[in-house]
Amino acid sequence: MTQEWNTRTKLVHDGIRRSQYGEMAEALFLTQGFVYPTAEAAEARFIASGDDEFIYARYGNPTTRMFEDRIASIEGTEDAFATASGMAAINGALTALVKMGDHIVAARQMFGSCLHVLKVLQGFGVEVTLVDGTKLDEWRAAMRPNTKVCFFESVSNPGLEVIDIAGVAEIAHAGGAVVVVDNVFSSPIFSRAVALGADVVAYSTTKHIDGGGRVLGGVVCGTRAFIRGPLETYVKHTGGAMSPFHAWIMLNGMQTLDLRVRAQAASAAMIASAVAGHDKLSRTIYPGLMDHPQHALAMAQMGSGGTMLGLDLAGGKEAAFRFLNALNIVSISNNLGDAKSIATHPATTTHKNLTDEERAVIGITPGLVRISMGIEDSGDLLADIQAALSAA
Ligand SMILES: *Cc1c(COP(=O)(O)O)cnc(C)c1O
């Protein structure tokens, strides 16, 4: 790892392992197993594998390791472990850190599957307290002597609340707890999570890192002691490792990650400003807008408003549906971070299983449409969104 390189250089070159053929592109080692020259060599490999020695793809693979080394370098952590999906990463990070009788404090605005993982852990005797993640007083009040983890999305899905990583880290560390951040919405490009005090950073690489909406993946970044200790031990024995093929897709995605994410964020910022105050909208939610409740924090923490935008249609569900159905370039779907722009109606899709009250608490109104800005021409996107607003 070459620490003096800047992000764009690292995204293209870091972590590469070349075979005896000196191939230019990252090789896809589509193999679950590895051959040992002798029985003694196999025995030795199982006692201690060297840096470039592998046993089985559930434990590690050269292509997967290239991806792990590259993302750890970008995130600024000592190591990383790649997982089958974002949820395998979150489940692995949390489960590797707690046991029966421990306590987790988590922000209540959270991806539904993350809330489910917390419920499963509760069933195994782990205590969980949910707080309003934007209020540091609530984090402070929730801490107990047995609190082991403080967990949150640095920008929440889909409410776009921004949580103060440094503020929560100070409270967590004073109580001896570890800070785990689900950093999907900020993406590695705008992430300063480790510098701000996060101990463990998890991504769904399905989103911006793949960037083409092709395959599932996840990754957990942290200290070498944690990643190659409890995290790897848990994930490799419970089957959550990333496929080498998916790691190869992620390596390719990373080469253009900075270019894509910056273009997406620039379009999101331009379009948010252009449509803010539109008479069909009751709110335009974008951390880069001055009226966002955590605008200053977002700028300090990410240096950007990000790639995601919330449009709350004043006419409720009917207006939201008219808006969605009038879009031509922006697709109705539920992934995010894709090169293609995507619009989602959380209340009837991703968050339909919640009650009205639960949705209200996490900021999901019947009129809310979440837009993941793609890399299409920003003028074309603005025209598409403005035409759909007129039709709403
Ligand atoms: C998508 C997402 C996940 C889950 O990732 P998968 O790759 O779908 O398993 C977790 N957290 C957030 C914030 C997400 O957006």
Side-chain angles (χ1 to χ4, degrees), residues 85-87 111 114 153 157 182 184-185 204 206-207 216-217 336:
S85 66
M87 286 321 303
F111 189 64
C114 295
E153 294 171 9
N157 175 15
D182 177 340
V184 166
F185 273 46
S204 163
T206 314
K207 314 293 169 53
L216 292 170
L336 62 97

Side-chain angles (χ1 to χ4, degrees), residues 68-264:
E68 291 168 343
D69 286 348
R70 188 170 294 177
I71 184 83
S73 168
I74 295 302
E75 197 60 35
T77 55
E78 289 172 1
D79 217 332
F81 194 87
T83 58
S85 66
M87 286 321 303
I90 300 293
N91 179 52
L94 294 177
T95 307
L97 284 166
V98 294
K99 58 181 190 328
M100 186 170 72
D102 288 343
H103 178 231
I104 298 175
V105 186
R108 66 188 183 186
Q109 272 214 16
M110 196 177 291
F111 189 64
S113 302
C114 295
L115 287 172
H116 184 78
V117 170
L118 292 174
K119 265 188 210 144
V120 172
L121 290 173
Q122 277 177 297
F124 291 137
V126 175
E127 299 165 24
V128 175
T129 306
L130 296 180
V131 298
D132 176 341
T134 63
K135 300 208 167 90
L136 291 178
D137 285 348
E138 291 201 15
W139 289 97
R140 209 170 280 120
M143 295 295 292
R144 299 180 193 164
N146 59 337
T147 306
K148 290 286 154 57
V149 175
C150 290
F151 171 54
F152 56 96
E153 294 171 9
S154 55
V155 180
S156 71
N157 175 15
L160 304 180
E161 274 185 3
V162 184
I163 294 180
D164 183 351
I165 299 174
V168 176
E170 199 183 318
I171 294 163
H173 294 159
V178 166
V179 176
V180 179
V181 176
D182 177 340
N183 220 16
V184 166
F185 273 46
S186 108
S187 89
I189 299 308
F190 299 133
S191 173
R192 298 170 189 168
V194 171
L196 292 168
D199 302 293
V200 177
V201 185
Y203 287 102
S204 163
T205 67
T206 314
K207 314 293 169 53
H208 300 89
I209 295 176
D210 175 316
R214 295 161 293 196
V215 297
L216 292 170
V219 71
V220 184
C221 305
T223 62
R224 180 146 302 129
F226 174 64
I227 295 296
R228 296 298 156 194
L231 189 278
E232 179 186 300
T233 305
Y234 175 75
V235 178
K236 78 184 182 187
H237 291 305
T238 55
M242 179 181 272
S243 149
F245 177 68
H246 291 195
W248 180 76
I249 297 271
M250 299 307 170
L251 280 164
N252 282 277
M254 281 188 89
Q255 303 200 57
T256 56
L257 183 65
D258 188 86
L259 301 172
R260 284 185 284 107
V261 166
R262 288 188 191 282
Q264 288 167 296

